[in-house]
Amino acid sequence: MRRARLTSGCMVFVLGLLLSLSAFAGEGPPMDSMADLTLPPEGWVVLEPPQTASGKQLFTLINGGAVLYVQAGFSRAVFASYRSAVGRDINLEIYRMKTVEAARHVYTQKISAQGRPADIGVAALFEEYFLNFYRGEYQVTVSGYASDKQ
């Protein structure tokens, strides 16, 4: 099976995110510190201030999609949107679940058989314009608006 490769700019972004997640292993960051996970790498800018949610607040940010996270054992989340130096936009969603099993469960519900494996976190799949992965209690989705290889 062919593994997906990230573009260099996106790879720097995701690797920085993974390092940040490693720093928050165990108890996890307080809600305001989760926004620190959204600091952009060089060459990227945050389009809007990151949004955070805990508990039922998630329903105001993702509406129907919140059911999966809340039922699985959602703790808190942070969302941010970015633009690269070449004008590519991506969205980042980081969900801290209550257990590793909950993060794995959400990950398996979000992926499909059409994904391409990627070497990120414990498990990761690229699908059209989404990258889903999980590591520890975190389930992460990075999405873009274009489905081309870049």
Side-chain angles (χ1 to χ4, degrees):
M1 184 177 295
R2 191 171 156 248
R3 291 215 175 253
R5 295 182 63 209
L6 295 170
T7 62
S8 60
C10 192
M11 179 61 102
V12 169
F13 185 87
V14 172
L15 288 176
L17 176 61
L18 284 173
L19 288 173
S20 297
L21 291 178
S22 296
F24 290 124
E27 284 295 309
M31 182 59 76
D32 56 344
S33 295
M34 276 196 71
D36 291 345
L37 295 174
T38 64
L39 295 175
E42 188 174 330
W44 292 81
V45 295
V46 178
L47 295 178
E48 297 176 2
Q51 296 182 307
T52 58
S54 61
K56 304 281 185 196
Q57 294 172 329
L58 190 61
F59 286 96
T60 63
L61 293 178
I62 63 171
N63 200 3
V67 172
L68 171 64
Y69 295 95
V70 172
Q71 287 180 345
F74 159 76
S75 177
R76 59 194 110 185
V78 63
F79 306 87
S81 296
Y82 305 88
R83 179 162 293 144
S84 74
V86 296
R88 293 284 187 162
D89 292 350
I90 61 171
N91 300 304
L92 172 67
E93 303 171 20
I94 304 172
Y95 300 89
R96 183 163 196 283
M97 305 303 290
K98 292 180 180 175
T99 65
V100 173
E101 293 77 21
R104 180 177 28 250
H105 172 73
V106 169
Y107 167 78
T108 61
Q109 296 301 304
K110 291 189 63 120
I111 61 170
S112 73
Q114 286 76 42
R116 298 180 327 255
D119 290 325
I120 301 168
V122 174
L125 281 181
F126 274 109
E127 299 181 74
E128 196 170 347
Y129 55 91
F130 286 93
L131 166 64
N132 282 294
F133 69 92
Y134 81 96
R135 180 175 183 167
E137 296 93 8
Y138 294 92
Q139 188 280 319
V140 178
T141 300
V142 180
S143 60
Y145 297 109
S147 60
D148 61 346
K149 286 185 179 183
Q150 181 125 7

